[in-house]
């Protein structure tokens, strides 16, 4: 969203707590498993619970059936990426005739001024379609297009400097047609058809939180008014709390003149009917409480920088948005949605909207319809609260923040800490493998800008190496990678928002022409579609490597070691069972000899990515020693499969203890197994003696889930199962009986 950088301080309060009742992010423990020697840096394992010499025995379990249910880890095998996030206005100008959206006048009327970062620059759908060869060469599997429908063209104070245009697309008011600045519906259909012919998926960016700014308030004020000062009133004047009736038939009728703290009105009478569908013109469909402060209730009830904030608690709004966006899936035959400003919409809305859209898409022949949401937060607890609501994944701000810390020379513990939070996303239909990862975007700014900010004196070679390292992590780690348009051309910029939304075509904007791109000394005012750019070539090679090795799209992600600048993790596909070891070094000058344990013992590992390296042999305990050069990624492939152990793998539930009382709504359940090799642990619960139901499957140690038990009453007796499957056909189960406490 425009100006979204300003809302980073605002956070939705989520009913998710750590085990002591405080909202927090768990951090992994770390135990050194090999001694430091004079010839190698000892790399500490971040997974101490899988040490090879650990002997684990089941706890005393209640009598009854010896085994629990077994399920496979969740995987999304369609949305494998990479996704290309593109803002059409800034990408390629295929038809200058539509630059002004069919209007006459200056930039305050047409929104067009290619010399100003705040206005339309002329890119369009015809231009994007003309560059599909360029994207195909980059290995792109899906296009994410910013909101394409007709916007409120210009908003602000009526002056050029105090206003800006809707070039980004997030101020939509008319969903009946593509924004004329971008072209026509025929242009959109042609783009989608050509993309599909090339095997590319197409995702639309959608907004349900707000529309363009049309509504004003009598009296002229827009200061937020809280519900404890002025509660909502139904049409008969009775106060009510929307949270208690959200999405239900009990939601009362409203009156525009009396139900809200502000009386909604329109500066121009024509604005009363400017939106489509027609129900969007009803001012009672909006919260009408003034501008959000991005704190407390205003985060969901306030206007987003003056944009008209929809009353998403109203069933009529939910139904209207389901009909609207379900119709768009049918009209355009697209393959998914990226959902904007998700955390500024009440949770009940998502419980109805997301399943309904996916069901409609399935009816239309798109059972694998993708949805991923923007929850602008680096708190995995807050992020995961939304993946439990039917939207399979969110944009991974946790990963983004960790990569940015690591690649500027930070310790690998930043990455380990991020991956250690993955289990917050593990449940019956989601896990962290489905998160959508990125390393910079249109709001917070580009990776290149962060690298320059960290060290303005860094050479271009060093900046290029750090950019490559960041994208190595993006493509080789769990999740679906997003490439922000222009990053493959080394774009930098001077900040976020407008300063990170450069033109790919020859720019007329001074701020963009002056940018110092990474990996090139080409004229900044020229176009930027070089297929010989070192980052374009590197990302294309990464995309090809990822596509050729299934483990990097659907495999488990197991952190092996972190210490200093070295990160080591394995990717392993459950069917292929070939272990790939990824090693990275964020230090710019030191080759690090790293010693750690892999999952596959007594096996040769050969280099398949990165600089030439000798064959590495793992010891009987899995230990390897390898040099990792500065600012480099090395990928090793095992020459033999990761076979199951010869004997059955025992399992023990570490938490909860038998007889414990569960005190929180999101409760950590954790189990330990003795063997280091690939295994899957299925967690299940049985309530009051009923059949056990799976609550999640974890395929990377530490094996755990954060069980959401918020809908269950206090006093419920719970039998907890943890069952390990090691690929041999054998399973082992541990069980404990606990009770739910008062979690209010």
């Amino acid at each position: 969203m425009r100006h979204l950088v300003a809302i980073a301080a605002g956070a939705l309060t989520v009913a998710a707590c750590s085990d002591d009742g405080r909202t927090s992010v768990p951090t992994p423990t770390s135990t050194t498993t090999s001694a430091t020697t004079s010839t190698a840096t000892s790399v500490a394992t971040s997974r101490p619970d899988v040490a090879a010499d650990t002997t684990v025995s089941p706890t005393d379990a209640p009598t009854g059936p010896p085994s629990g249910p077994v399920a496979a880890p969740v995987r999304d095998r369609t949305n494998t990426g990479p996704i290309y996030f593109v803002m059409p206005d800034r990408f390629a100008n295929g038809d200058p005739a539509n630059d002004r959206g069919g209007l006459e006048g200056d930039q305050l009327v047409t929104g067009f001024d290619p010399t100003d970062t705040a206005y339309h620059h002329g890119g369009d759908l015809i231009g994007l379609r003309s560059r599909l060869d360029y994207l195909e060469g980059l290995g792109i599997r899906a296009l994410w297009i910013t909101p394409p429908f007709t916007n409120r063209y210009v908003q602000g104070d009526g002056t050029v400097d105090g206003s800006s245009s809707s070039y980004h697309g997030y101020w939509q008011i008319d969903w009946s047609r593509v924004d004329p600045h971008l072209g026509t519906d025929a242009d959109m259909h042609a783009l989608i058809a050509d993309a599909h012919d090339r095997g590319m998926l197409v995702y639309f960016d959608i907004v349900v939180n707000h529309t363009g700014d049309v509504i004003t308030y009598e009296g002229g004020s827009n200061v937020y008014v809280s519900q404890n000062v002025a509660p909502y009133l139904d049409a008969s004047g009775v106060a009510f709390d929307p949270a208690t009736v959200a999405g239900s038939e009990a939601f009362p009728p409203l009156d525009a003149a009396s139900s809200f703290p502000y009386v909604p009105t329109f500066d121009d009478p024509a604005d009363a009917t400017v939106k489509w569908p027609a129900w969007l013109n009803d001012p009672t469909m909006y919260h009408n409480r003034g501008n959000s402060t991005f704190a407390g209730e205003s985060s969901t009830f306030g206007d987003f920088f003056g944009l008209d904030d929809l009353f998403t608690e109203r069933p009529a709004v939910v139904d209207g948005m389901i009909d609207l966006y379900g119709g768009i899936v049918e009209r355009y035959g697209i393959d998914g949605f990226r959902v904007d400003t998700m955390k500024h919409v009440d949770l009940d809305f998502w419980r109805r909207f997301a399943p309904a859209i996916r069901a409609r898409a399935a009816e239309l022949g798109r059972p694998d319809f993708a949805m991923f949401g923007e929850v602008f937060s680096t708190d995995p607890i807050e992020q995961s609260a939304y993946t439990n609501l039917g939207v399979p994944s969110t944009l991974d701000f946790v990963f983004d923040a960790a990569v940015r810390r690591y690649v500027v020379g930070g310790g690998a513990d930043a990455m380990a800490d991020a991956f250690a939070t993955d289990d917050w996303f593990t449940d019956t239909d989601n896990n962290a493998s489905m998160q959508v990862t990125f390393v910079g975007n249109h709001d917070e700014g580009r990776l290149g800008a962060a690298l320059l900010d960290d060290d303005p004196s860094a050479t271009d070679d060093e900046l290029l190496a750090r950019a490559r390292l960041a994208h190595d992590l993006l493509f080789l780690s769990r999740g679906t990678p997003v490439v922000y348009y222009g990053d493959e051309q080394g774009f930098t910029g001077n900040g976020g928002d407008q300063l990170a939304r450069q033109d790919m075509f020859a720019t007329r904007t001074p701020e963009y022409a002056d940018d110092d791109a990474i990996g090139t000394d080409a004229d900044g005012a020229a176009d930027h579609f070089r297929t010989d750019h070192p980052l374009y070539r590197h990302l294309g090679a990464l995309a090809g490597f990822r596509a050729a090795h299934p483990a990097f799209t659907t495999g488990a992600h197991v952190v092996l070691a972190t210490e200093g600048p070295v990160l080591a993790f394995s990717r392993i596909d459950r069917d292929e069972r070939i272990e790939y070891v990824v090693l990275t070094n964020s230090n710019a000058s030191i080759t690090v000899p790293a010693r750690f344990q892999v999952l596959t013992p007594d096996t040769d590992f050969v280099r398949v990515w990165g600089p030439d390296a000798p064959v590495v042999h793992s010891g009987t305990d899995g230990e390897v020693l390898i040099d990792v050069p500065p600012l480099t990624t090395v990928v090793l492939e095992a020459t033999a499969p990761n076979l199951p152990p010869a004997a059955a793998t025992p399992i023990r539930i570490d938490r909860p203890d038998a007889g414990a009382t569960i005190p929180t709504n999101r409760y950590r359940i954790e189990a330990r197994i003795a063997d280091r090799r690939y295994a899957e642990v299925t967690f299940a619960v049985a309530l009051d003696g009923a059949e056990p139901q799976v609550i999640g499957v974890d395929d990377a140690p530490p094996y755990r889930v954060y069980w959401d038990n918020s809908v269950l009453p206090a006093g419920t007796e719970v039998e907890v199962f943890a069952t390990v499957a090691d690929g041999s056909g054998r399973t082992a189960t541990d069980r404990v009986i606990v009770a739910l406490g008062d979690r209010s």
Side-chain angles (χ1 to χ4, degrees), residues 137 154 291 301 323 336 352 404 499 512 587 686 697 719 741:
V154 179
N291 285 345
F301 284 90
D323 289 344
R352 290 190 57 198
R404 284 173 172 242
L499 297 177
Y512 299 160
N587 189 282
V697 181
E719 189 172 2

Side-chain angles (χ1 to χ4, degrees), residues 134-177:
Y134 169 86
L135 298 179
E136 194 169 25
L138 193 59
I140 297 303
R141 299 287 299 276
L143 296 179
W144 157 15
I145 300 172
T146 47
F149 299 105
T150 302
N151 277 237
R152 191 70 162 185
Y153 289 160
V154 179
Q155 296 182 177
D157 64 7
T159 68
V160 172
D161 290 342
S163 304
S164 62
S165 80
S166 56
Y167 65 90
H168 43 68
Y170 293 99
W171 302 342
Q172 294 170 124
I173 57 172
D174 182 355
W175 281 260
S176 68
R177 59 176 182 156

Side-chain angles (χ1 to χ4, degrees), residues 70 574-575 577 642-645 647 649 677-680 724-731:
V70 174
R574 70 190 304 259
D575 299 321
R577 293 187 75 102
N642 187 268
L643 298 175
T649 302
R677 277 168 282 202
Y678 177 79
E680 299 164 358
V724 58
D726 58 18
S728 66
R730 301 180 299 254
T731 63

Side-chain angles (χ1 to χ4, degrees), residues 227 354 426 632 648:
Q227 292 187 71
T426 301
T632 297

Side-chain angles (χ1 to χ4, degrees), residues 435-508:
Q435 287 292 91
V436 176
T437 53
F438 65 100
V439 291
N441 66 16
H442 60 320
D443 290 321
E444 68 177 5
R446 294 185 180 274
L447 170 70
L451 296 176
L452 281 173
D453 285 347
D454 179 71
D455 186 0
S457 65
T459 66
D460 189 63
D461 285 345
E462 180 178 332
L463 294 171
L464 181 60
R466 292 194 186 279
R468 283 175 171 146
L469 180 63
H471 285 95
D472 291 345
L473 288 166
L474 179 67
F475 277 70
L476 301 177
S477 300
R478 90 292 181 273
T480 300
V482 172
V483 175
Y484 181 39
Y485 85 94
D487 280 0
E488 77 280 8
Q489 295 291 330
F491 279 12
T492 54
N494 299 314
D497 198 75
Q498 295 172 13
L499 297 177
R501 302 173 183 182
Q502 298 96 324
D503 299 322
M504 289 281 284
F505 54 90
T507 189
R508 295 168 56 190

